[in-house]
Amino acid sequence: MKDYTDEELAQILDQPIFHQISEVADDMGVECYVVGGYVRDIFLERPSNDIDVVVVGSGVEVAKGLKQRLGDKAHLSVFRNFGTAQVGYRGQEVEFVGARKESYHRESRKPIVEDGTLEDDQNRRDFTINAMAICLNKDRFGQLVDPFGGIDDLYDGIIRTPLDPDITFDDDPLRMMRCVRFATQLRFIIEDETFEALQRNASRIQIVSGERIIDELNKILLAPTPSRGLIDLQRCGLLQLILPELQALDIVETRNGRAHKNNFYHTLEVLDNVAKKSDSLWLRWAALMHDIGKPRSKRWEPLTGWTFHNHNTIGAKMVPVIFRRMKLPLDMKMKYVEKLVELHMRPIAIADEEVTDSAVRRLLNDAGDDIDDLMLLCEADITSKNQVRKQRFLDNFRSVREKIADLKERDYKRLLQPCIDGNEIMQIFDLKPSREVGVLKQYLKDAVLDNQVPNEREPLMQLLLQKAEELGINNVK
């Protein structure tokens, strides 16, 4: 965070694009300001190429004037329904809008818009740190207009609304997600009155489309420490409405003096561990969902205590349901998350015992190209406070990784698929697609994975004929 005088801001904005905008606005006799995130990021010393400009007048006309001044190398897009226009020039995007004031119907996020002053426009902004403006007109070029103390809030690391937070969130409930998202990305604290308004207005999130919610949630997950945002969502009541399956993990039960761990906070620790090692959004989703099946699988066993048998399989089946409801992509990204949730216990089971070639072959076969991500997730899942136990797991995982590397080097991915496939099995025995074909195919696959026979045609054919005879299949062509 760095403070600047108006003179220093004028030097920062001493760029051809801002002077061109200034000249067009002065020629038209209108006030013109750069606003929002671009201004905020100047003080945070973060790069930004997207420039938002507010015109006290017609933003579209200033955009047209800028396009004419810049010539053919500039691209103009006009969005008349929204009263905005965008000019693209040499890798920069400048969006123009007329200053406006807004009012809302309670059942909709779509505002009723009227022309307004700069003050009206700053009043409608979501947070004080996004409500600052810098004048671009020549006689006031570089002058900061900060009516709500956005600079002070940047210094203090606070997220706060310019006006009454209840009105801000009630008017546009998506701002609640944005509030948590900015706090997470910037590592800021949500001011008390603003947070209490989040709690009071959480139910309003139900009028926001799933796509808009997911866009903000993904940005939270991609933050350096995503747990910060998820804890805020949980504390204010939004998580229960957005992702109740994750909220359901926040429980600890005790019987006969034996308690299980809080799987919500365990999940957040795993997520943060993954975030330290990978920027992959979908690997972070897999971390978020890896224990999602535990509430449904939880059982009390008098001899062993709390168990969560098959929580990985139950969780994997929940993934498509959650993705569909939340408007997440139902493509290979979902399949990837589903696979990692299903398999996340396998490396742990292998590492807890003797690491055998056979077990690693099966793991490599099932995980395929996602084996490295699976191993990263599983290592992140080791959150035991018992350092001796934790180190034992990590040492065993190192052995698993070494065996995986060795198998990869020997191209086991290609060799693990039996050279006699399902189509040939149907031809040999004159069968149509059926359960018997699946049984025979799996039998050969298991034989190769367990290294019972080499992956060669002659020994596999002998096994195939023996198994077919056991199944009563004798019609060899």
Side-chain angles (χ1 to χ4, degrees):
M1 170 71 191
K2 187 172 182 180
D3 198 4
Y4 294 102
T5 64
D6 289 351
E7 291 76 17
E8 289 171 327
L9 289 174
Q11 290 177 2
I12 291 171
L13 297 181
D14 185 17
Q15 304 173 38
I17 188 70
F18 290 116
H19 289 296
Q20 299 275 21
I21 296 169
S22 176
E23 291 170 9
V24 172
D26 284 343
D27 287 348
M28 293 184 175
V30 294
E31 295 178 41
C32 191
Y33 301 84
V34 60
V35 297
Y38 191 89
V39 177
R40 178 198 68 225
D41 288 344
I42 287 175
F43 291 96
L44 291 176
E45 299 183 274
R46 302 198 312 178
S48 180
N49 281 327
D50 296 329
I51 303 166
D52 291 323
V53 172
V54 164
V55 177
V56 184
S58 173
V60 172
E61 291 305 312
V62 173
K64 288 180 177 178
L66 178 64
K67 163 66 173 84
Q68 187 174 5
R69 184 177 290 264
L70 295 175
D72 294 339
K73 291 184 178 180
H75 175 73
L76 172 68
S77 301
V78 177
F79 309 97
R80 295 197 179 279
N81 289 343
F82 300 96
T84 65
Q86 190 176 75
V87 176
Y89 183 69
R90 293 183 176 177
Q92 287 185 314
E93 298 287 344
V94 186
E95 184 159 326
F96 292 85
V97 64
R100 58 194 188 185
K101 53 184 175 181
E102 298 175 344
S103 57
Y104 291 80
H105 289 303
R106 196 165 197 279
E107 67 279 2
S108 172
R109 291 183 55 238
K110 187 176 181 180
I112 300 167
V113 178
E114 304 174 64
D115 292 339
T117 63
L118 175 66
E119 181 183 2
D120 292 326
D121 200 88
Q122 289 179 298
N123 286 344
R124 72 178 182 84
R125 299 278 162 175
D126 50 8
F127 307 111
T128 59
I129 61 173
N130 294 333
M132 298 180 288
I134 301 175
C135 187
L136 294 179
N137 296 95
K138 185 176 181 179
D139 60 342
R140 295 170 53 213
F141 192 84
Q143 184 180 105
L144 177 67
V145 183
D146 181 21
F148 305 111
I151 288 293
D152 293 335
D153 288 345
L154 280 178
Y155 266 116
D156 295 336
I158 288 175
I159 302 295
R160 182 169 60 90
T161 60
L163 303 178
D164 184 335
D166 283 304
I167 296 174
T168 298
F169 296 145
D170 186 74
D171 282 349
D172 184 355
L174 183 64
R175 289 170 175 164
M176 294 188 289
M177 292 295 299
R178 286 171 56 82
C179 179
V180 173
R181 188 251 291 182
F182 279 119
T184 307
Q185 289 179 324
L186 300 175
R187 299 175 185 265
F188 280 17
I189 301 299
I190 301 171
E191 179 258 349
D192 287 347
E193 186 178 346
T194 301
F195 191 85
E196 289 164 6
L198 286 177
Q199 295 174 306
R200 288 190 293 269
N201 291 276
S203 62
R204 290 283 288 151
I205 199 67
Q206 294 172 82
I207 73 165
V208 180
S209 71
E211 291 85 353
R212 298 304 299 275
I213 291 172
I214 279 299
D215 185 53
E216 295 298 328
L217 185 55
N218 283 343
K219 290 175 182 177
I220 291 170
L221 290 179
L222 287 170
T225 311
S227 63
R228 294 174 61 105
L230 289 159
I231 289 172
D232 279 343
L233 290 174
Q234 191 259 3
R235 287 175 56 232
C236 73
L238 283 169
L239 188 64
Q240 174 64 39
L241 300 169
I242 296 167
L243 191 49
E245 296 88 349
L246 186 62
Q247 172 74 43
L249 295 173
D250 185 21
I251 187 171
V252 176
E253 286 192 62
T254 303
R255 283 196 189 181
N256 297 342
R258 300 175 71 175
H260 62 78
K261 65 186 173 187
N262 185 307
N263 287 301
F264 175 71
Y265 289 101
H266 163 73
T267 294
L268 298 190
E269 188 174 353
V270 174
L271 175 61
D272 284 348
N273 287 342
V274 167
K276 293 172 185 174
K277 298 290 185 68
S278 172
D279 293 330
S280 166
L281 172 62
W282 302 109
L283 180 53
R284 295 184 187 204
W285 265 105
L288 191 69
M289 309 281 265
H290 81 284
D291 276 350
I292 209 81
K294 280 192 169 179
R296 298 185 186 183
S297 65
K298 184 168 67 174
R299 299 289 184 273
W300 169 257
E301 302 289 347
L303 295 179
T304 58
W306 294 105
T307 66
F308 301 92
H309 295 313
N310 298 319
H311 74 272
N312 55 313
T313 300
I314 293 170
K317 291 178 180 177
M318 293 168 66
V319 169
V321 177
I322 293 170
F323 267 52
R324 189 171 292 109
R325 186 188 74 233
M326 298 188 72
K327 309 299 183 186
L328 284 158
L330 304 177
D331 55 12
M332 295 307 294
K333 299 181 182 70
M334 181 196 77
K335 293 292 185 184
Y336 166 89
V337 173
E338 190 177 9
K339 180 202 286 189
L340 264 58
V341 172
E342 171 69 47
L343 294 179
H344 82 271
M345 294 299 293
R346 288 270 294 280
I348 293 174
I350 293 171
D352 202 21
E353 301 171 358
E354 183 183 354
V355 182
T356 65
D357 282 354
S358 176
V360 175
R361 284 193 194 97
R362 288 178 174 277
L363 177 65
L364 183 56
N365 179 75
D366 293 341
D369 292 337
D370 300 317
I371 184 66
D372 291 335
D373 285 355
L374 176 63
M375 291 301 296
L376 196 157
L377 171 61
C378 292
E379 287 171 349
D381 197 16
I382 304 171
T383 61
S384 172
K385 300 302 181 281
N386 182 327
Q387 291 303 314
V388 174
R389 186 175 182 328
K390 183 174 182 178
Q391 191 58 50
R392 177 167 60 84
F393 271 113
L394 291 173
D395 290 342
N396 285 354
F397 270 132
R398 191 177 302 112
S399 178
V400 173
R401 282 190 177 275
E402 289 170 357
K403 286 190 180 292
I404 287 171
D406 180 55
L407 292 174
K408 279 184 173 182
E409 190 174 326
R410 288 186 273 157
D411 198 15
Y412 261 81
K413 184 183 174 188
R414 174 177 58 82
L415 296 176
L416 287 177
Q417 296 301 325
C419 59
I420 300 176
D421 63 15
N423 289 327
E424 189 172 357
I425 290 172
M426 287 189 286
Q427 290 176 0
I428 292 170
F429 297 104
D430 194 21
L431 294 174
K432 293 182 178 179
S434 60
R435 186 187 71 83
E436 287 81 2
V437 175
V439 170
L440 292 171
K441 183 180 175 182
Q442 187 63 46
Y443 181 71
L444 295 185
K445 187 173 183 179
D446 288 341
V448 172
L449 289 171
D450 292 335
N451 208 26
Q452 294 176 16
V453 293
N455 191 2
E456 298 171 1
R457 186 173 184 76
E458 185 175 340
L460 283 177
M461 182 62 75
Q462 291 179 5
L463 281 181
L464 178 63
L465 294 174
Q466 291 171 10
K467 187 64 176 179
E469 187 175 351
E470 291 177 15
L471 296 174
I473 302 171
N474 299 308
N475 51 327
V476 181
K477 290 182 70 175

